[in-house]
Amino acid sequence: MSIQSIFKRFFRMVFILSILTVLPLQPILAKSLDSGLGGAASQAANLLMANTWSNTGNLNTARGQHTATLLTNGMVLVAGGSDASPLTDAELYNPLTGDWSVTGSLNTERREHTATLLADGRVLVAGGANASGKLASCEIYDPLSGVWSETDSLGEARSTHTATLLEDGRVLVTGGQGSIAMLDSAEIFDPVSETWSSTGSMTTTRRAHAAVLLSDGKVLAAGSYGSGGAYKDSAEIYDPVAGTWSSTGNMGSGRQYLSATVLTNGKVLVAGGHGAAGSLDSSEIYDPVAGTWSPTTGNLNAARRQHSATLLPDGSVLVTGGLDSGNAQTLECEIYDPAAGTWSTTDSLNAARAFHTATLLPSGEVLVAAGGLYLSSAELYDPRDGAWSVGMTLNRSRTGHTVTQLLDGSLLIAAGKTSAGFATTAEIASLNPASITDTGVMNESRYRPSATLLADGRVLVLGGQGFAAVTLDSAELYDPGSGSWSYTDSLNTPRENHTATLLPDGRVLVVGGANGSILGTAEIYDPATEVFTYTASLNAARSWHTATMLQDGRVLVAGGWNGSVSLDSVEIYDPATGTWSLADSLNAGRRFHSAALLADGRVLVMSGYLGSSRIVSTEVYDPLLDAWSYSGDMIVARTYHQSLVLGDGRVLVVGGYDNSGITKATEIYDPVTETWSSLADLATERFYFALTLLPSGNALVSGGTSSTAAALDSSEIFDPGLGYLNSWRTTVDDYSFPLNMCASLETTGSGFRGRKFSEASGGGTTNSASNIPQVQVRRIDSGQIGWALADSSSPFSDSTVTTLPPAFLHPGPVLVTVFVNGIPSRSAVTVFETCSIFLPVIMR
């Protein structure tokens, strides 16, 4: 690629991404350090409730008979439809914020069309109808530019047809209502030449039928309206190699406007639809091996048609809304359990709807949008029920220690105090399979130091408290290659209760702390020269503060203790100028609090001490506005707790002290709704522990102090609770090379088409399949998340996905995760390298 094309692509991406927004999201493993099993639920108020609906932002335009497509950056594109008249409007849903934003309009108003995400990340819209009649026109949406462009037209105008993305990246369109009559014709779109060509005709005419991609790459088409009040029970199979159709077994009931969902065992669930007597409550299973249909053990709890059906990460199927037997829109939803073959009711929608869309998000949630008599409302179904389980036992008890993710995927556990006193020992936890082994001995024992993973893979541990409560100025480096520790340059000022932040250029900013007095100094460590140098001093001396690197590369320092009061002052360090500037003050002074960088670029500050009282309040800093605003109150007022942003963007808060002492309480924050919910308690109360995000997407709590032990050797695992099997997860190859933010990111592995569990999103003609790879790149230290748009010059396959680099992500050690069908891969660990044209931008 030429340097000119690199610049052109990069700056185009920065410009578009600075206008749009992108998303972030989780998993489980076997019985190992990063496995998670069930746990007892907490009885606290606002208990996290799985399988519930909540409202999210309203669309800008009310609509029904539209399409919804999950893009490779996690956003959802809704296009066209009707609000009594066919629409050209299109908009994007941002799961980070729960908001909708207008994007480029279609060139032609249309409803009852199809939308298909192509393997190059663009979206093909085909056919439909408007006031002029049935449409043959087609157009393509480019997520980078947000613009629709016309492409080759269908050979025949059609609506209520189906569109299926084949294994080779072509799109098969079948049947539908033509300008005069129902169609039996089928056509193939080639995204390379952007042309349509005829393929073999179906054995019968079909409209409002279902078509799904089977595990062998063939396509099943079933059902349709007939004539004279009859409904077709026939089904047939398309062979894309031969380009021909052949009949297969008949369904037990004729039906149109049915849903069809490929299950994790490769069989197909057909549910509901419109039959001779109206809406149907029957459902049946197609076995592709035998070519036969059989009824499910039980019927749907409610008859329905024009509903949606979504394959959830745990393999069950969520059916929502539709028209009931009295032709009324329904609130009712239900779940199909493939193991039992039965249906059970679940939480009802907040608004009755039919002709809506349902989209499985990377987080595992389901977004239901619009529908009915032209609704603008949207809501989210959340199947997550996070739980704690017992983890691995450390080789020795530790409190006030550090846990650092290494580039080989293992964890370095070091420093702190043991039950016998100060520790110089260190150990390595390998996660898959699980094991803990001792590694090199530190040069100095230290309690509550800071630990920073450097871009070259070494770990910098500095400061903290030594023997006899002496504050340390020493620093040392761990080399994973040799498993040894070596002294590096000493701090200019001894310090504990400080912060250390890896900057975008690879240096480390060390701020404040205490050494008998509260410090206002800051210094920079350069790994290239291994030297500490002073930088500009803070405007206010502070310890027990938080330091958070913003998406533009600056560092936000908030609150803390000045020796007499909890501070509300906030300041920002600019690495480019080496200077501090005051920012908007917190609404409440606080110390012993925690802070987290949210996926949309804002900073959440949680709890802490105001004076001598613990507070439940939280507040969010918006760097675009330089302003703090209160967010939802926590369930438990706490200090000395730990917080962590999970892969799905929620914030997990664990342990510490509450008003009754050391606490087991855990809770989780949803940044979209700005609400807190209680989780199950830890098995053991603890503070001065370590909280670490694992490559599995689970969270590890290790060590700490409890009310009965000065130091703990136990660990616990939090599983975000999607309930899938490990065999369903995409596999990502480990990276043996750095990633460069000036070049496309090629990710290799297997299962990038969801192990062919296709059409999982909606099971109907208006919902694009969710078996698409979405690549998340996350900085290990700060938790900063970037989602990568597909590189249209390199279509994805089952084993490879090429994406443009997430331009706003800072360089440094990162986790690379691929999400498919709401299920994350186990992350690969590597380094994201800078280049000369790196320009970080704030995303919103």
Side-chain angles (χ1 to χ4, degrees):
M1 183 183 298
S2 68
I3 190 65
Q4 290 89 350
S5 60
I6 290 176
F7 269 86
K8 181 178 179 182
R9 170 185 280 176
F10 184 85
F11 286 112
R12 179 177 179 231
M13 178 173 56
V14 170
F15 173 73
I16 296 300
L17 287 177
S18 65
I19 298 173
L20 303 176
T21 358
V22 261
L23 158 82
L25 311 132
Q26 94 221 72
I28 70 178
L29 233 113
K31 271 191 178 178
S32 68
L33 183 58
D34 51 350
S35 67
L37 307 176
S42 166
Q43 299 303 311
N46 297 330
L47 179 68
L48 179 70
M49 299 295 291
N51 306 315
T52 55
W53 290 96
S54 60
N55 288 321
T56 187
N58 287 343
L59 289 85
N60 293 284
T61 301
R63 66 184 82 214
Q65 298 176 308
H66 54 286
T67 58
T69 307
L70 180 66
L71 303 178
T72 57
N73 62 2
M75 300 187 79
V76 179
L77 171 70
V78 161
S82 175
D83 67 351
S85 300
L87 299 168
T88 59
D89 302 61
E91 44 192 305
L92 293 165
Y93 177 75
N94 183 358
L96 290 182
T97 61
D99 296 327
W100 295 86
S101 58
V102 174
T103 188
S105 294
L106 292 155
N107 293 286
T108 302
E109 66 272 8
R110 62 184 80 222
R111 58 180 175 81
E112 297 180 332
H113 52 286
T114 57
T116 308
L117 183 82
L118 302 175
D120 61 14
R122 299 177 300 159
V123 179
L124 170 70
V125 159
N130 61 21
S132 300
K134 307 303 178 185
L135 299 171
S137 66
C138 303
E139 38 194 310
I140 290 179
Y141 178 79
D142 183 348
L144 271 181
S145 65
V147 172
W148 295 88
S149 57
E150 294 180 342
T151 188
D152 190 33
S153 294
L154 290 157
E156 292 186 86
R158 61 184 83 214
S159 67
T160 61
H161 52 286
T162 65
T164 306
L165 181 68
L166 301 176
E167 279 192 296
D168 61 9
R170 296 179 300 159
V171 179
L172 171 71
V173 160
T174 68
Q177 180 65 48
S179 298
I180 299 175
M182 277 195 298
L183 302 172
D184 61 4
S185 62
E187 310 184 41
I188 296 277
F189 181 76
D190 183 341
V192 177
S193 63
E194 293 194 13
T195 57
W196 291 93
S197 59
S198 295
T199 187
S201 293
M202 294 187 291
T203 62
T204 184
T205 57
R206 299 184 189 274
R207 78 172 189 204
H209 55 294
V212 291
L213 182 70
L214 302 175
S215 297
D216 61 2
K218 297 178 181 179
V219 177
L220 169 71
S224 174
Y225 177 72
S227 59
Y231 294 84
K232 295 183 178 180
D233 60 6
S234 65
E236 52 191 302
I237 298 289
Y238 177 74
D239 183 342
V241 176
T244 58
W245 294 87
S246 58
S247 296
T248 188
N250 289 346
M251 294 184 292
S253 299
R255 59 185 88 210
Q256 69 169 347
Y257 292 119
L258 62 158
S259 65
T261 310
V262 180
L263 305 175
T264 54
N265 60 9
K267 296 181 180 181
V268 181
L269 170 70
V270 158
H274 190 194
S279 294
L280 300 172
D281 64 1
S282 62
S283 59
E284 39 194 311
I285 299 288
Y286 177 73
D287 183 341
V289 177
T292 57
W293 295 86
S294 58
T296 57
T297 301
N299 287 339
L300 291 154
N301 292 281
R304 62 184 81 222
R305 68 180 190 271
Q306 277 108 358
H307 55 285
S308 67
T310 307
L311 181 70
L312 298 177
D314 67 357
S316 62
V317 179
L318 170 70
V319 164
T320 65
L323 297 177
D324 64 17
S325 54
N327 291 328
Q329 296 176 99
T330 181
L331 297 163
E332 295 179 58
C333 302
E334 45 193 306
I335 298 279
Y336 177 74
D337 179 351
T342 56
W343 295 91
S344 59
T345 57
T346 187
D347 192 34
S348 294
L349 291 160
N350 292 296
R353 62 185 83 221
F355 304 102
H356 56 284
T357 54
T359 306
L360 180 68
L361 302 176
S363 62
E365 298 168 283
V366 178
L367 171 70
V368 161
L373 296 176
Y374 318 124
L375 298 172
S376 63
S377 64
E379 39 193 309
L380 291 168
Y381 182 80
D382 191 346
R384 298 168 297 191
D385 59 351
W388 292 93
S389 63
V390 176
M392 183 181 291
T393 301
L394 305 179
N395 283 345
R396 54 194 57 79
S397 57
R398 293 182 189 271
T399 186
H401 58 295
T402 63
V403 177
T404 309
Q405 173 77 68
L406 301 179
L407 293 184
D408 65 359
S410 63
L411 302 177
L412 172 67
I413 304 169
K417 289 180 181 178
T418 70
S419 54
F422 281 88
T424 56
T425 57
E427 43 199 295
I428 295 289
S430 298
L431 306 179
N432 193 27
S435 65
I436 295 187
T437 57
D438 284 344
T439 187
V441 176
M442 300 180 72
N443 292 289
E444 199 154 358
S445 59
R446 55 187 81 229
Y447 180 53
R448 301 197 317 269
S450 61
T452 306
L453 177 65
L454 304 176
D456 61 10
R458 295 179 298 168
V459 179
L460 173 68
V461 175
L462 61 89
Q465 189 182 107
F467 285 117
V470 173
T471 303
L472 300 173
D473 64 359
S474 63
E476 48 191 305
L477 291 165
Y478 177 75
D479 183 346
S482 63
S484 62
W485 295 87
S486 60
Y487 275 120
T488 188
D489 186 35
S490 293
L491 290 155
N492 292 287
T493 301
R495 58 185 84 220
E496 57 182 305
N497 309 330
H498 57 283
T499 57
T501 307
L502 182 67
L503 300 175
D505 61 9
R507 298 178 300 158
V508 180
L509 172 68
V510 180
V511 176
N515 62 7
S517 61
I518 307 301
L519 300 172
T521 58
E523 40 193 307
I524 297 278
Y525 179 76
D526 187 339
T529 61
E530 295 192 8
V531 172
F532 283 95
T533 55
Y534 278 122
T535 187
S537 292
L538 292 154
N539 291 282
R542 63 187 81 219
S543 68
W544 296 109
H545 54 282
T546 57
T548 309
M549 188 169 66
L550 303 174
Q551 286 186 342
D552 61 7
R554 298 177 300 159
V555 179
L556 177 79
V557 167
W561 175 247
N562 71 356
S564 58
V565 298
S566 296
L567 297 171
D568 63 4
S569 66
V570 178
E571 40 194 311
I572 293 178
Y573 181 76
D574 186 344
T577 61
T579 57
W580 294 90
S581 58
L582 291 174
D584 185 39
S585 295
L586 291 158
N587 291 290
R590 55 186 85 214
R591 68 186 190 276
F592 307 134
H593 55 293
S594 67
L597 178 67
L598 301 179
D600 65 1
R602 297 177 301 158
V603 178
L604 173 71
V605 163
M606 296 154 274
S607 203
Y609 266 131
L610 172 61
S612 60
S613 300
R614 293 182 180 89
I615 54 178
V616 293
S617 70
T618 68
E619 37 191 314
V620 172
Y621 179 73
D622 188 334
L624 295 180
L625 303 176
D626 181 31
W628 292 90
S629 58
Y630 276 119
S631 190
D633 284 349
M634 298 181 70
I635 308 298
V636 175
R638 59 180 90 210
T639 53
Y640 298 104
H641 54 285
Q642 299 279 343
S643 59
L644 176 70
V645 179
L646 300 172
D648 61 13
R650 296 178 300 168
V651 181
L652 174 69
V653 173
V654 178
Y657 271 97
D658 64 17
N659 291 324
S660 300
I662 306 173
T663 183
K664 300 178 180 179
T666 69
E667 50 191 298
I668 200 161
Y669 175 78
D670 184 337
V672 175
T673 60
E674 296 192 340
T675 56
W676 291 89
S677 301
S678 290
L679 298 169
D681 286 348
L682 293 166
T684 303
E685 71 277 2
R686 56 185 88 210
F687 79 105
Y688 285 156
F689 56 92
L691 177 62
T692 312
L693 182 70
L694 302 176
S696 67
N698 296 339
L700 169 72
V701 166
S702 62
T705 298
S706 74
S707 57
T708 59
L712 299 166
D713 62 2
S714 63
S715 69
E716 305 185 43
I717 302 292
F718 178 73
D719 171 10
L722 287 177
Y724 51 81
L725 297 179
N726 288 319
S727 60
W728 300 348
R729 301 178 76 176
T730 292
T731 299
V732 175
D733 296 337
D734 287 335
Y735 289 92
S736 58
F737 55 88
L739 309 178
N740 190 296
M741 55 179 49
C742 289
S744 294
L745 164 60
E746 182 178 281
T747 306
T748 60
S750 61
F752 291 176
R753 291 288 302 273
R755 301 188 186 277
K756 302 179 184 176
F757 301 153
S758 302
E759 305 295 338
S761 178
T765 58
T766 59
N767 299 276
S768 297
S770 63
N771 60 318
I772 61 170
Q774 295 162 310
V775 179
Q776 182 193 87
V777 184
R778 174 192 175 109
R779 265 190 55 137
I780 289 174
D781 60 327
S782 68
Q784 184 189 23
I785 291 172
W787 287 84
L789 279 169
D791 185 343
S792 59
S793 65
S794 301
F796 61 74
S797 68
D798 194 58
S799 59
T800 304
V801 56
T802 303
T803 54
L804 300 175
F808 62 94
L809 188 74
H810 299 139
V814 295
L815 296 173
V816 179
T817 313
V818 178
F819 290 75
V820 183
N821 285 350
I823 300 175
S825 69
R826 195 173 189 280
S827 302
V829 187
T830 187
V831 175
F832 198 42
E833 286 190 338
T834 189
C835 62
S836 59
I837 60 171
F838 171 62
L839 290 174
V841 295
I842 295 177
M843 301 305 301
R844 187 65 50 75

